[in-house]
Amino acid sequence: MGQARNATTAPPVPLNMTTIGIIGSGNIGSQLARLTVAQGHDVIVSNSRGPETLTDLVSELGEHATAGTALDAAERGDIVIVTIPLHAIDTVPVAPLAGKVVIDTNNYYPERDGHIAELDEETTTTAEMLQAHLPESKVVKAFNHIYAADLTTKGKPSGTPNRRALVIAGDDADAKATVAALIDSFGFEPLDIGALSEGWRIQRDTPGYGPDVDADKLRELVAEAKRYRDM
């Protein structure tokens, strides 16, 4: 519980990247692509079906967007967002992501992903699984507890009272600061809840999963989270 009690609003820092790679262009990935281009960044979108299936999305996004493969997104992205079903994380390119900030948006759904013993036993988390797959990357958990439609409709300028908060968790302070700045630019208040292993506190079925609340309330909800085995 110590990490959750000490959770703090993460201080945004200037964004230095120009390109965001997105591996997975479903509901969350597409919405994050829209937010990315709205902030003037370039985006490379990819999915498992091939760039030719993303023509409509790229056309909508405009000149700052291109479609590519997962490898393209990994190689060219300064920050890379992985937003694919958990059972497919072994397909995420490893070498091109070394040293990069990688954002994990995933949640574990056994009916979709199949049962994964380590997650059923709660000995790891989805973000830690991605970190294990990408040992030289800086994985940060984010964007997994907000409905896709809310990403482009619920954002508000920094300083707005009761601004909606979004959690980050990670083991690298600089990587978390970068993701915090991205969240802030998208219109949400970043809330740092600690190490990557603390990401379970915002997984599905926890109090903080889904509700539109500010940082103070989200901090309380994160602290109230219980392991599935304790529910």
Side-chain angles (χ1 to χ4, degrees), residues 16-217:
N16 297 317
M17 79 294 175
T18 57
T19 301
I20 293 180
I22 300 181
I23 299 176
S25 296
N27 293 333
I28 294 290
S30 296
Q31 290 289 73
L32 291 173
R34 293 181 179 101
L35 290 171
T36 295
V37 297
Q39 292 301 314
H41 302 299
D42 293 330
V43 65
I44 303 166
V45 292
S46 67
N47 63 16
S48 61
R49 295 175 294 151
E52 65 278 1
T53 67
L54 295 167
T55 302
D56 289 346
L57 177 61
V58 169
S59 178
E60 174 200 335
L61 294 173
E63 62 181 0
H64 286 288
T66 57
T69 63
L71 182 60
D72 294 329
E75 288 179 337
R76 295 166 55 194
D78 299 303
I79 289 177
V80 176
I81 301 170
V82 175
T83 180
I84 58 177
L86 187 60
H87 62 75
I89 64 169
D90 286 345
T91 67
V92 176
V94 177
L97 294 174
K100 293 186 179 181
V101 175
V102 177
I103 300 174
D104 169 53
T105 76
N106 221 322
N107 290 296
Y108 173 43
Y109 297 102
E111 63 274 17
R112 177 195 67 184
D113 302 312
H115 281 279
I116 299 171
E118 297 93 331
L119 294 176
D120 289 338
E121 296 164 2
E122 300 185 277
T123 58
T124 191
T125 63
T126 60
E128 288 175 292
M129 288 181 65
L130 183 60
Q131 183 68 82
H133 177 68
L134 303 172
E136 296 183 32
S137 301
K138 303 168 185 177
V139 174
V140 177
K141 189 73 175 181
F143 301 116
N144 72 300
H145 63 100
I146 180 172
Y147 297 111
D150 289 354
L151 282 165
T152 53
T153 59
K154 297 293 187 178
K156 298 177 181 177
S158 181
T160 301
N162 301 317
R163 190 188 196 203
R164 183 169 184 169
L166 295 180
V167 157
I168 57 173
D171 296 332
D172 185 282
D174 290 340
K176 286 197 290 185
T178 297
V179 178
L182 189 66
I183 289 172
D184 179 64
S185 73
F186 286 170
F188 302 93
E189 196 71 23
L191 179 68
D192 184 354
I193 64 168
L196 202 62
S197 60
E198 291 294 290
W200 70 269
R201 293 184 177 278
I202 201 67
Q203 65 193 0
R204 61 179 179 80
D205 302 323
T206 57
Y209 183 83
D212 180 349
V213 294
D214 65 11
D216 288 340
K217 182 60 178 179

